[in-house]
Amino acid sequence: MEGGINEGSVPSYYREVHQALCSRADERVQTDVFHRLLSRTQLSLDLQNQITEHVDDGNGFLSKVSLYKALALIALAQQGKQPSPKLLENCIQEFPKPHLGEPKELQSLKLQVAQENPLLISLTLPNLLGKDSIEVELIPEKKGLFLKHVEYQVTSERFKISVYRRYSDFDVFHELLLQRYAYRMVPALPPKRVLKGVLTSVSEREFIEGRRRGLGRFLNLVARHPFFSEDELVKTFLTFNGSDVQTKLRDAFRKMGDEFMTCRHATQAKDYLPVDIQSLFSASRELIRNIHTSFQKFRDRAERMAERSKENATDLLMLGKELGALGSDPLPVPSLDCSSNMWGDLRHSLHSLSSEFSLLADKAARKGRREEDDVVEQLNLFLDLLQSYKDLCERHEKGVLHEHQRALQKYTVMKRQMMSAAVQPKEQVEQLESRIVQQENAIQTMELRNYFSLFCAHQESQLVFIYLPITSHILGAFISSHVQGHREMGQVWASLHSKMSGLFPSSNGLQSPPLSPK
């Protein structure tokens, strides 16, 4: 490809852009300047990363030819084509012009303050919530089948498409996502099974419904994550309609690898980290652990209150049914005394009250469902996010940090062996020297991964705090549910109260019991 692009084969616009961006000392362009240029293209982050992979050799600069290649790939991507070096082979006669603005305007990219820090996330909660909204529903014709056959309809508001997935598809997607983003908050999946043995039909339905909700929370957190949302794995899972999504997901992962290998900041992560990153990491971990504990208690109480509302609905409904049954008793009233006529009237009145209690039960049930959907479910979403941060911290300590420490210990042992190898044959000494060099390279890679892990953890802790204002949404829904619920039920109770005096007339000079406390 380099043989096809040179000073004379590109449009003058390419040369003008290069002149605007290159440094005075030589013809190279700093990668930071190039990344600012990419941000002006309005291309997706995924396409920007693909273009960077084709032109950036990782030394912090782009040559003139590499910039020309990048400009051609940007232009092709803006035309809706997948950026690939092979496409440039068909553009030898005339390379397309990218839409970047006037070259003079691009000089400001080189003059921008170089203290832009990719460590910081400049997003708000509305930004995150607006990325996508995922609905996960049971396929109607599959309801009631055995658990292993349950299928889900997954609908993405962003992609305007519905796909069908089984739990095993979620499982493979989660596994690959965790491999690709081991240093990020990957939410856990709800369990595949709840108990061994045969479940009753009621508990089976409850389990399937709980798992459906859990899968929905998982997908929404993933689809709204600033780094996951543009990933090919996520797009494939939410849009692929073929027969074997699992194979498609595995193929996508093999092409990309893990985030450390594709992130342009991975090898420079240490340069962006604050000096006190370890203490910041520990402080964030402790604070988020406390927040998680408090929100768990909040969720448990809200869950119990929602359950009580539903139990109250059941009790009111049963009470109404009992009143209805009492009022509909077909047995004749024996002629004993004048009170027999009074019981006939009372029985008729009791029957008419049953519908009022049914209406009360409906209002209480609605209140319980609102609390379950708008309060408990949102609390569970936030708790899933907090738990994924706790899991991330454990992976950092037990994973890359632990491996780094083991590699250092192994290196120390090998150095000691080297020091005592003076009397050993030359071949054994050379083998040991080669192993030490390999171990030094491994340690260097692990150190880079350790800093990148801290880099990602710091970003993920910011993400948790960006989500924290969801607390006001949850509390607002909690209060609104109670205000609406009490108002609706109060109206029914008031109506029932006004009917009571006419339904039960007094007899024999006896007064009816008071209908309200004095």
Side-chain angles (χ1 to χ4, degrees):
M1 185 176 70
E2 285 196 16
I5 293 184
N6 53 53
E7 187 76 17
S9 67
V10 298
S12 59
Y13 182 78
Y14 283 37
R15 295 190 290 273
E16 292 171 2
V17 170
H18 172 260
Q19 190 63 32
L21 300 181
C22 69
S23 63
R24 294 180 179 179
D26 52 35
E27 294 185 332
R28 298 184 303 173
V29 175
Q30 291 184 2
T31 54
D32 286 345
V33 175
F34 173 64
H35 292 148
R36 296 190 192 108
L37 180 72
L38 275 177
S39 66
R40 293 172 59 96
T41 62
Q42 298 185 341
L43 297 173
S44 69
L45 184 61
D46 186 44
L47 288 174
Q48 292 182 38
N49 287 335
Q50 290 182 44
I51 293 171
T52 301
E53 290 175 15
H54 294 315
V55 300
D56 188 0
D57 57 9
N59 66 358
F61 294 90
L62 264 65
S63 66
K64 181 191 294 186
V65 172
S66 293
L67 179 67
Y68 290 163
K69 294 178 193 175
L71 294 175
L73 292 174
I74 288 171
L76 292 168
Q78 289 176 333
Q79 294 173 5
K81 300 175 182 178
Q82 193 70 16
S84 168
K86 291 184 179 180
L87 282 178
L88 300 183
E89 296 174 3
N90 302 322
C91 302
I92 299 301
Q93 297 300 322
E94 182 178 358
F95 290 97
K97 179 181 176 180
H99 300 289
L100 298 170
E102 292 298 322
K104 290 182 178 179
E105 298 175 358
L106 301 180
Q107 291 180 358
S108 62
L109 300 178
K110 185 173 61 175
L111 301 176
Q112 284 182 16
V113 181
Q115 59 191 15
E116 295 176 0
N117 191 346
L119 182 65
L120 303 179
I121 298 179
S122 301
L123 292 172
T124 63
L125 181 60
N127 294 148
L128 296 177
L129 299 181
K131 283 183 174 292
D132 204 349
S133 180
I134 311 291
E135 293 288 339
V136 177
E137 299 293 342
L138 285 171
I139 299 177
E141 60 268 24
K142 296 294 182 180
K143 286 183 178 178
L145 298 180
F146 292 108
L147 294 183
K148 63 180 180 179
H149 296 304
V150 169
E151 286 190 287
Y152 304 91
Q153 178 177 302
V154 176
T155 304
S156 165
E157 184 178 297
R158 174 189 176 190
F159 294 108
K160 309 298 182 185
I161 190 172
S162 293
V163 294
Y164 299 94
R165 299 287 182 256
R166 290 189 175 183
Y167 184 87
S168 58
D169 300 328
F170 281 90
D171 198 26
V172 170
F173 174 52
H174 178 264
E175 177 187 347
L176 295 175
L177 199 63
L178 196 54
Q179 290 180 38
R180 173 147 171 74
Y181 291 102
Y183 310 130
R184 301 281 180 190
M185 293 188 299
V186 178
L189 285 179
K192 184 176 183 179
R193 289 284 186 271
V194 62
L195 290 172
K196 292 183 178 180
V198 180
L199 298 173
T200 66
S201 59
V202 174
S203 61
E204 181 177 324
R205 285 197 301 269
E206 289 175 349
F207 172 70
I208 292 176
E209 172 61 16
R211 190 172 67 180
R212 181 195 68 80
R213 288 176 177 269
L215 293 173
R217 296 193 301 270
F218 164 76
L219 282 183
N220 275 294
L221 287 173
V222 168
R224 294 166 181 171
H225 193 285
F227 300 102
F228 300 166
S229 57
E230 297 297 330
D231 194 90
E232 193 64 29
L233 282 175
V234 176
K235 291 183 179 179
T236 299
F237 188 84
L238 295 178
T239 62
F240 182 70
N241 255 323
S243 58
D244 193 356
V245 66
Q246 297 182 20
T247 299
K248 190 75 173 178
L249 288 168
R250 291 190 176 98
D251 289 344
F253 175 75
R254 278 194 291 269
K255 292 177 184 178
M256 296 180 293
D258 77 328
E259 186 187 14
F260 178 79
M261 302 301 295
T262 58
C263 179
R264 62 174 178 256
H265 303 301
T267 55
Q268 288 89 33
K270 181 181 179 181
D271 299 334
Y272 298 114
L273 291 171
V275 178
D276 58 344
I277 183 59
Q278 290 292 352
S279 60
L280 282 174
F281 173 75
S282 299
S284 296
R285 185 178 186 180
E286 184 65 24
L287 177 57
I288 292 173
R289 182 188 291 120
N290 292 341
I291 293 172
H292 182 267
T293 300
S294 296
F295 269 87
Q296 266 189 326
K297 295 177 181 178
F298 183 10
R299 188 275 316 274
D300 292 344
R301 293 294 176 182
E303 200 169 42
R304 289 174 61 184
M305 293 177 72
E307 192 62 34
R308 282 201 299 271
S309 293
K310 291 189 289 184
E311 290 174 355
N312 186 35
T314 301
D315 291 339
L316 287 167
L317 183 63
M318 294 306 299
L319 195 154
K321 286 182 177 181
E322 292 301 328
L323 289 175
L326 188 61
S328 303
D329 192 341
L331 294 177
V333 180
S335 298
L336 299 176
D337 52 30
C338 61
S339 64
S340 60
N341 293 329
M342 183 184 68
W343 172 241
D345 294 337
L346 282 174
R347 187 165 64 178
H348 179 72
S349 299
L350 291 173
H351 180 70
S352 67
L353 290 179
S354 61
S355 60
E356 300 288 341
F357 280 92
S358 296
L359 185 57
L360 282 169
D362 179 65
K363 300 297 185 185
R366 287 185 187 181
K367 179 174 177 290
R369 287 193 296 270
R370 279 197 305 269
E371 291 171 8
E372 192 173 59
D373 294 339
D374 301 338
V375 180
V376 176
E377 191 62 19
Q378 289 302 307
L379 283 167
N380 280 328
L381 177 82
F382 188 50
L383 283 169
D384 287 351
L385 178 78
L386 296 174
Q387 183 61 50
S388 67
Y389 180 83
K390 293 176 65 178
D391 295 341
L392 169 64
C393 293
E394 290 186 10
R395 284 201 303 275
H396 171 74
E397 290 191 340
K398 296 180 180 178
V400 62
L401 188 60
H402 180 64
E403 290 177 5
H404 185 208
Q405 292 170 345
R406 286 200 310 172
L408 287 173
Q409 292 173 355
K410 184 177 179 181
Y411 177 73
T412 302
V413 171
M414 293 170 67
K415 290 291 286 185
R416 289 174 182 170
Q417 291 175 346
M418 187 66 189
M419 293 175 63
S420 61
V423 297
Q424 294 182 6
K426 183 178 180 181
E427 292 183 359
Q428 293 185 11
V429 173
E430 290 176 348
Q431 290 178 359
L432 187 57
E433 289 176 343
S434 176
R435 287 173 55 201
I436 289 175
V437 171
Q438 293 177 0
Q439 191 66 13
E440 288 174 343
N441 293 334
I443 289 173
Q444 184 179 14
T445 300
M446 289 180 189
E447 285 179 345
L448 291 175
R449 282 188 174 271
N450 181 47
Y451 283 118
F452 184 62
S453 179
L454 287 169
F455 178 93
C456 293
H458 192 70
Q459 287 185 323
E460 299 300 283
S461 64
Q462 294 174 60
L463 197 57
V464 170
F465 288 102
I466 292 172
Y467 260 102
L468 264 177
I470 202 173
T471 306
S472 62
H473 296 199
I474 296 170
L475 285 173
F478 179 75
I479 295 169
S480 296
S481 174
H482 281 271
V483 170
Q484 182 178 348
H486 290 306
R487 181 176 62 245
E488 291 177 349
M489 293 189 70
Q491 290 171 350
V492 180
W493 282 118
S495 174
L496 185 58
H497 184 277
S498 65
K499 292 179 181 179
M500 288 294 291
S501 59
L503 290 176
F504 299 103
S506 60
S507 59
N508 296 330
L510 296 176
Q511 296 295 321
S512 297
L515 299 180
S516 59
K518 294 182 179 179

